[in-house]
């Protein structure tokens, strides 16, 4: 059968099959570690249409490997259960009809343990097949690993949203192991000049990248400065105290309409001086970066501060010389909450901690084209009405990020670990 998928527009993995197999195994293990404390009920509930049950994430990532690698590239492989394609296809029109996203929480069967049995079956089959797979299939394994890492972050943020609905305020990881900044107060924010002129933007080396990070191209940067760190909770409290949520002149029209319609007066998960975390309710940490804010809130705060959001190109030009594996990122299952920068030298927390809203629309770079087949639906079809976020968060698995990495959400969405770094014109 001719392959239905073509990942050739995703940058290739340069790794040997042995290294790829190791990373595949580690990634699959981390997903299971993240749900180790969950009951079947915890893993099955869905708190809103944007979020998915933990069990669904475990299943959907398995469907991805089984469909695009085992089914398409391993002769004689038969699907573990051919009904699962309907249940666990997310949005791939080329893969046929699927269960409605808002109804994922109604799937009490298959159980969490059934899904884990399927995962083990697919893992064994893939590890067995991997050494003999063609290079194209290795690229698809890499895509599957990167895809599962994205879902690990979503699993955590979806779980946080779910547990926040419970008046008991349950913790995924207990309060004794909760994390907080080592400093009590935020340090003064500084302005760091950015490079002006023409900058090369987009993915340009041999490693893996998603299709939307290319083609590499030139962008013009006007004279500007970036804030030395993301906006802190303490600064956000000042915005609130100054009537930021009640001053329409600070807000975009759509943002003001959203604030009014939803009754928004603080970041998500805030209640007075407390905030809900994956370790339950905690005191708000004034030195830590503010998180769970929408694009609308980020933009209004920037207006209040006499600044603006950075463009994604300003952010990338500054990040290109930094280590994308640095900063506060996800290393293992455990408490996840951003903390204050460890020092105040230069640009801090460019990677990890909180995703930084930019003022850039998620649109194709010049010359972009989606890959043919189902994986071409990965990013390209979402390039409408969303804004780019950069830099990753404390819930992003370490090793997943790059300077060219583009995340994207709708301007009202804020259940991810979203924050903001200010910029200004010079
Ligand atoms: Fe997915």
């Amino acid at each position: 059968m001719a392959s239905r998928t073509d990942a050739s527009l995703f940058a290739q993995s340069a790794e040997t099959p042995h290294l790829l197999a190791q990373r595949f195994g580690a990634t699959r293990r981390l997903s299971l570690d993240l749900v180790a404390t969950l009951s079947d009920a915890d893993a099955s509930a869905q708190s809103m249409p944007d979020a998915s049950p933990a069990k669904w994430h475990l299943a959907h990532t398995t469907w991805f490997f089984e469909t695009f690698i085992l089914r398409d590239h391993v002769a004689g492989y038969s699907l573990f259960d051919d009904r699962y394609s309907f249940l666990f296809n997310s949005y791939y029109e080329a893969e046929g009809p699927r269960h409605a996203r808002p109804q994922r929480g109604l799937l009490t069967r298959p159980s969490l343990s059934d899904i884990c049995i399927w995962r083990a079956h697919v893992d064994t089959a893939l590890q067995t097949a991997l050494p003999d797979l063609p290079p194209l299939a290795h690229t698809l394994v890499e895509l599957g690993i990167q895809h599962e890492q994205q879902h690990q972050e979503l699993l955590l943020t979806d779980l946080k949203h779910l547990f926040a609905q419970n008046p008991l305020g349950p913790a995924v990881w207990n309060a004794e192991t909760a994390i907080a900044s080592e400093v009590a107060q935020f340090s003064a924010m500084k302005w760091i000049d950015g490079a002006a002129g023409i900058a090369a933007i987009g993915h340009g080396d041999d490693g893996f990248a998603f299709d939307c990070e290319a083609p590499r191209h030139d962008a013009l940067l006007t004279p500007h400065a970036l804030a030395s760190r993301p906006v802190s909770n303490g600064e956000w409290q000042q915005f609130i105290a100054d009537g930021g949520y009640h001053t329409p002149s600070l807000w975009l029209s759509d943002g003001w309409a959203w604030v009014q319609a939803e009754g928004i007066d603080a970041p998500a998960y805030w209640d007075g001086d407390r905030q809900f975390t994956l370790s339950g309710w905690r005191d708000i940490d004034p030195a830590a970066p503010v998180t769970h804010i929408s694009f609308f809130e980020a933009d209004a705060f920037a207006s209040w501060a006499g600044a603006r959001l950075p463009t994604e190109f300003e952010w990338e030009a500054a990040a290109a010389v930094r280590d994308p594996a640095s900063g506060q990122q996800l290393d293992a299952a455990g408490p996840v909450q951003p903390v204050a920068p460890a020092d105040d030298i230069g640009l801090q927390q460019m990677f990890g901690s909180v995703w930084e809203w930019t003022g850039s629309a998620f649109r194709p770079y010049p010359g972009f084209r989606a890959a043919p087949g189902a994986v071409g639906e990965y990013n390209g079809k979402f390039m409408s009405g969303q804004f780019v976020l950069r830099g990753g968060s404390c819930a992003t698995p370490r090793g997943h990020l790059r300077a060219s990495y583009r995340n994207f959400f709708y301007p009202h969405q804020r259940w991810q670990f979203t924050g903001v770094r200010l910029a200004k014109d010079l």
Side-chain angles (χ1 to χ4, degrees), residues 15-199:
E15 289 187 344
T16 65
H18 178 67
L19 281 175
L20 197 59
Q22 278 187 345
R23 285 204 303 112
F24 171 78
T27 302
R28 299 287 283 172
R29 270 193 300 281
L30 177 57
S31 296
L32 294 181
D33 289 347
L34 293 176
V35 304
T37 64
L38 302 187
S39 68
D40 195 43
D42 291 335
S44 298
Q46 179 178 25
S47 58
M48 63 171 172
D50 282 342
S52 298
K55 187 176 74 179
W56 189 91
H57 288 295
L58 296 179
H60 164 69
T61 47
T62 303
W63 167 84
F64 194 97
F65 284 112
E66 186 178 58
T67 301
F68 297 130
I69 295 143
L70 296 176
R71 183 198 68 184
D72 287 354
H73 293 280
V74 177
Y77 182 82
S78 51
L79 297 178
F80 182 80
D81 186 328
D82 57 15
R83 300 170 303 171
Y84 285 3
S85 300
F86 183 84
L87 295 183
F88 301 121
N89 173 7
S90 53
Y91 55 68
Y92 296 87
E93 299 289 346
E95 288 296 329
R98 69 212 74 92
H99 185 69
R101 179 180 182 128
Q103 313 284 312
R104 288 173 185 168
L106 302 181
L107 299 175
T108 57
R109 311 288 176 90
S111 67
L112 177 58
S113 61
D114 289 340
I115 297 299
C116 290
I117 291 168
W118 179 33
R119 282 181 69 91
H121 175 88
V122 165
D123 288 356
T124 301
L126 200 135
Q127 291 281 20
T128 303
L130 203 147
D132 300 319
L133 288 175
L136 170 60
H138 285 158
T139 299
L140 286 165
V141 173
E142 179 68 57
L143 180 61
I145 292 170
Q146 302 284 339
H147 172 251
E148 183 142 351
Q149 289 180 318
Q150 292 181 310
H151 278 276
Q152 287 166 346
E153 179 156 12
L154 292 168
L155 189 157
L156 290 171
T157 52
D158 292 357
L159 200 53
K160 182 172 181 175
H161 191 267
L162 173 67
F163 276 28
Q165 313 310 310
N166 188 330
L168 298 178
V172 177
W173 291 284
N174 66 40
E176 288 77 56
T177 54
I179 43 181
S181 299
E182 292 180 3
V183 292
Q185 286 299 322
F186 51 91
S187 61
M189 191 204 81
K190 304 185 184 101
W191 289 107
I192 312 284
D193 288 1
I198 293 174

Side-chain angles (χ1 to χ4, degrees), residues 6 9-10 211 364 367-373 375-381:
D6 179 354
L9 292 181
F10 292 79
D211 52 357
F368 170 84
R369 60 191 175 93
V375 296
E377 299 183 47
Y378 203 102
N379 287 308
K381 71 181 188 180

